[in-house]
């Protein structure tokens, strides 16, 4: 496995692969990332991973400095997985002096996470566009856990005609339902136990939907009630939205994206399920 630090090195390495699957990450890898790597290898015949804790998607009040990092472990896992190359640039390589471009993908970036984290999706869209231009993958793989990020990236690729196919991998969960996330490492044992309430609330919505409930207000209320059974969690939002536009739904005609953000102390967790008829 090659470990590359510069854009020039990546451009050179890329030439060896007719098809390449890319898994962009911020490191501190878990089984969710590795399942995307495995799929990229299977579908494209070669896989690259980027590890870059992107400063522009964190606001000054967020957790950039304390974001978990373990590069030796990440590289060991990716080596064992047989990844072809890893790109781990310094911030100066991605954002040289004078860098001043930012991509605004519009309305889908302003609701839900975007309403609470105003700079977040411009940072994500800009760095992902750069990584696509640098690596030029055939396909790029993202996790459904970050549902809104998936919507934003699909929109970015569609609106800017970026020649890459976006593939979304299922959320990988612990046995008790908690979605894998690098941020779970911040949780105290008590918060970790309490955090299972997110998946329980989503399952209640899924079951009600399966039983015929199609009223968005009612589904949001059901999830909120379920979340309130865990008083240590502070609800940021509960949403039942259109899966492409992210507009909140009243009467639901097709699929819906049920999602939520809940804080446990300083740690903010998100999760979602697609409700399918
Ligand atoms: O999901 C992430 O880890 C990041 O948002 C991404 C897509 C790598 C961009 O920095």
């Amino acid at each position: 496995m090659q470990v590359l630090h510069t854009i020039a090195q990546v451009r050179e390495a890329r030439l060896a692969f007719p098809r390449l699957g890319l898994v962009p990450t911020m490191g501190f890898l878990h089984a969710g990332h590795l399942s995307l790597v495995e799929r990229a290898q299977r579908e494209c015949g070669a896989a690259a991973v980027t590890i870059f804790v992107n400063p522009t998607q964190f606001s000054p009040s967020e957790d950039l400095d304390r974001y978990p990092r373990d590069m030796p472990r990440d590289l060991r896992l990716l080596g064992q997985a047989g990844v072809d190359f890893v790109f781990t640039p310094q911030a100066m390589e991605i954002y040289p002096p004078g860098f001043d471009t930012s991509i605004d993908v519009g309305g889908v970036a302003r609701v839900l996470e975007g309403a609470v984290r105003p700079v977040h999706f411009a940072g994500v869209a800009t760095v992902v566009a750069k990584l696509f231009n640098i690596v030029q993958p055939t396909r790029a793989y993202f996790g459904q856990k970050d549902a809104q990020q998936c919507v934003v990236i699909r929109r970015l690729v569609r609106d800017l005609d970026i020649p890459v196919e976006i593939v979304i991998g299922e959320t990988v969960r612990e046995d008790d339902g908690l979605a894998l996330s690098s941020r779970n490492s911040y949780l105290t044992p008590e918060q970790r136990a309490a955090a299972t309430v997110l998946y329980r609330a989503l399952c209640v919505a899924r079951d009600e939907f399966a039983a015929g409930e199609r009223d968005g207000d009612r589904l949001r209320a059901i999830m909120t009630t379920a979340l309130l059974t865990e008083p240590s969690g502070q609800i940021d939002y509960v949403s039942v939205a259109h899966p492409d536009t992210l507009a909140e739904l009243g009467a639901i005609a097709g699929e819906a994206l049920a999602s939520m953000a809940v804080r446990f102390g300083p740690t903010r967790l998100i999760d979602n399920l697609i409700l399918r008829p």
Side-chain angles (χ1 to χ4, degrees):
M1 179 178 79
Q2 299 181 75
V3 180
L4 310 176
H5 304 287
T6 68
I7 295 168
Q9 288 171 329
V10 174
R11 293 213 189 281
E12 169 93 38
R14 175 67 184 90
L15 298 173
F17 308 103
R19 287 170 55 79
L20 182 72
L22 174 68
V23 183
T25 81
M26 297 206 299
F28 212 68
L29 304 177
H30 52 64
H33 297 112
L34 297 177
S35 73
L36 297 177
V37 167
E38 188 274 321
R39 188 164 173 192
Q41 289 169 319
R42 187 162 31 87
E43 293 182 355
C44 300
V49 173
T50 59
I51 299 178
F52 180 60
V53 183
N54 174 36
T56 65
Q57 66 190 72
F58 292 79
S59 70
S61 64
E62 288 180 335
D63 54 355
L64 173 63
D65 287 338
R66 72 179 199 116
Y67 193 83
R69 293 162 170 88
D70 191 344
M71 188 63 81
R73 179 177 167 278
D74 288 348
L75 293 180
R76 197 171 60 246
L77 289 172
L78 295 175
Q80 285 162 0
V83 163
D84 292 281
F85 70 82
V86 180
F87 178 41
T88 66
Q90 294 294 312
M92 280 284 273
E93 184 73 5
I94 299 296
Y95 301 116
F99 184 93
D100 201 19
T101 295
S102 178
I103 300 179
D104 176 356
V105 296
V108 293
R110 291 199 243 289
V111 294
L112 303 175
E113 290 300 291
V116 187
R117 309 179 68 193
V119 300
H120 178 66
F121 287 116
V124 170
T126 305
V127 80
V128 168
K130 284 193 62 116
L131 294 173
F132 286 169
N133 283 333
I134 294 165
V135 180
Q136 303 194 8
T138 318
R139 292 184 176 177
Y141 295 78
F142 297 88
Q144 174 61 30
K145 151 87 176 22
D146 295 307
Q148 188 173 6
Q149 173 167 281
C150 296
V151 172
V152 163
I153 291 168
R154 281 192 198 283
R155 182 64 61 104
L156 167 79
V157 164
R158 194 193 73 184
D159 287 357
L160 298 187
D161 304 303
I162 301 177
V164 59
E165 195 180 326
I166 301 302
V167 181
I168 308 300
E170 287 288 302
T171 302
V172 179
R173 298 181 181 279
E174 304 276 10
D175 289 345
D176 61 8
L178 181 69
L180 296 192
S181 164
S182 306
R183 288 192 168 90
N184 292 351
S185 64
Y186 300 150
L187 298 170
T188 64
E190 296 73 27
Q191 291 168 340
R192 166 67 187 78
T196 56
V197 75
L198 276 80
Y199 187 58
R200 284 204 301 283
L202 289 168
C203 289
V204 176
R206 182 196 60 197
D207 294 346
E208 290 292 322
F209 191 81
E213 181 61 74
R214 291 293 184 277
D215 181 339
D217 285 336
R218 176 96 191 102
L219 288 166
R220 283 183 285 271
I222 288 167
M223 288 194 288
T224 303
T225 304
L227 288 174
L228 290 173
T229 60
E230 185 41 76
S232 64
Q234 282 200 313
I235 303 173
D236 260 5
Y237 63 79
V238 171
S239 162
V240 177
H242 188 284
D244 298 324
T245 65
L246 300 181
E248 290 300 321
L249 294 172
I252 302 171
E255 293 188 348
L257 176 69
S259 67
M260 55 188 50
V262 181
R263 289 175 202 267
F264 294 90
T267 306
R268 195 162 169 283
L269 298 182
I270 57 172
D271 202 352
N272 70 88
L273 278 184
I274 298 179
L275 306 177
R276 295 194 166 95

